[in-house]
Each structure stands twice: as structure tokens, then as C-alpha cells.
Amino acid sequence: MCSSDLLMYGRGSKAIAEQLKIPLEQAEAFRVVFFERYPVATRWLKMVVKTAKVYSAVRSVLGRIRHLPTLHSEDIGVAMETERMAINSPIQSLASDLNNHLCIVSNKVAKERGIDCYPALLVHDCIIFQVVESQVEDLKAVMKECLDNEVKSIGLSCKMEQDYEVGKDL
């Protein structure tokens, strides 16, 4: 997880400093620079929290809803933690939904193209395929193509990167 991910997940300067093992002042400076450079991120974060407070829930880009009944808690610590959940949930659920759908679509397209593979396991943002060694590069190409198509189909303007590791055993 990079430091900008920490900001988008609602982490404050103290949490960022602790996780990255940097001085608090450096973490605070990073936050200032990040949000000055990406004002749309600031607007999005505020909009998510405001909407969550109105509905006591958040909705992901693909429609998944997370109810947040403790958002209006009288315990400020509980309310603040729930705000962080409100920020985190749309990001995490989109990543999960994309990953699950990518697994299904990639497997279907790979089979249509004669690639001998099957999805063996999904873990968070990771898909583990078993594939014939001579077709690894073909499967990578299919997965990249399918992810690019998925991102376009839901209207995201960002580019998604994929990392691949190849091994002999699960």
C-alpha cells in the first residue's frame, strides 16, 4: 500500500506516520501536498462523508451498499471510525467487485481462446489461476484486456495496473 492509498482510505497524519515509520511532520506535509495536488480527492472524500451522514450508508460505483448505523454515535471515536469506514467501503468494494468479475470474465475469454486454465483461488485483490505453462503469457494478455474493458465499461477514468507472479505451486 502506498502513502496516497493511506490518505484515500481516510487515515490521518498520525496513522500514516506510524504505518510508514516517518516523522509526524513529514506525514502532515505529505497530506498537504497530496490534497493540494489532487483537489478532486478532497471533494470526493467530503462528498462521501456528507452522503453517508444523510443516508447512514454508502454505495459503491457498482451499487454495493454498506449500512453505517454507528455514523451518528454520540461516542466521537465510534463516529470517526465509522466515517473512515464510509470512505474505505466504496474503494474496497469496487476493488473486490472488479476482481471477482475480472476472474469470471477472464476465465470465460481464456476458455474461448483455447487457454487451458482455471481460477483456483481469489484472495482480496489477487486471482490465482492454474494455467498450462506455455500459455501463461496468453492468460496475462487476456487478463489485461479484460481489466481494461471492465474499467472502461463502468466509466472509470483511471488506469489499473496488474502485477503477475508465476510459480509452480499454490
Side-chain angles (χ1 to χ4, degrees):
M1 179 179 291
C2 71
S3 48
S4 61
D5 293 338
L6 295 172
L7 292 169
M8 292 310 297
Y9 286 117
R11 298 273 179 90
S13 298
K14 184 178 177 189
I16 293 169
E18 289 172 1
Q19 186 154 356
L20 297 179
K21 296 175 180 53
I22 60 175
L24 181 60
E25 299 77 28
Q26 187 178 353
E28 288 172 356
F30 180 80
R31 282 180 56 84
V32 168
V33 169
F34 179 85
F35 287 116
E36 283 176 355
R37 186 173 294 162
Y38 303 105
V40 70
T42 303
R43 290 192 303 274
W44 183 83
L45 291 168
K46 288 178 180 177
M47 184 268 312
V48 167
V49 172
K50 183 178 179 180
T51 303
K53 286 182 176 179
V54 170
Y55 297 103
S56 293
V58 290
R59 180 184 301 261
S60 75
V61 172
L62 297 177
R64 188 189 300 204
I65 297 171
R66 180 169 187 182
H67 297 278
L68 302 163
T70 57
L71 192 57
H72 301 288
S73 173
E74 291 180 17
D75 181 328
I76 191 72
V78 170
M80 294 303 292
E81 178 61 26
T82 307
E83 276 191 25
R84 285 188 289 279
M85 286 182 210
I87 292 167
N88 184 356
S89 292
I91 298 168
Q92 285 294 100
S93 67
L94 177 59
S96 175
D97 292 344
L98 272 175
N99 196 54
N100 291 337
H101 198 251
L102 178 62
C103 179
I104 294 165
V105 171
S106 295
N107 189 52
K108 180 178 184 275
V109 171
K111 295 290 184 196
E112 289 169 355
R113 295 184 185 172
I115 299 172
D116 187 11
C117 66
Y118 73 90
L121 184 65
L122 279 87
V123 180
H124 300 292
D125 60 351
C126 178
I127 305 170
I128 299 173
F129 269 95
Q130 279 201 302
V131 61
V132 172
E133 191 170 351
S134 63
Q135 295 180 315
V136 167
E137 294 304 316
D138 296 332
L139 180 60
K140 286 181 185 180
V142 164
M143 292 183 74
K144 180 177 181 350
E145 175 188 329
C146 290
L147 179 60
D148 290 345
N149 290 339
E150 288 297 306
V151 168
K152 286 178 194 169
S153 74
I154 61 175
L156 291 178
S157 60
C158 63
K159 182 175 170 136
M160 299 287 231
E161 296 292 329
Q162 294 174 325
D163 295 324
Y164 303 94
E165 292 183 25
V166 178
K168 297 281 184 189
D169 298 311
L170 284 178

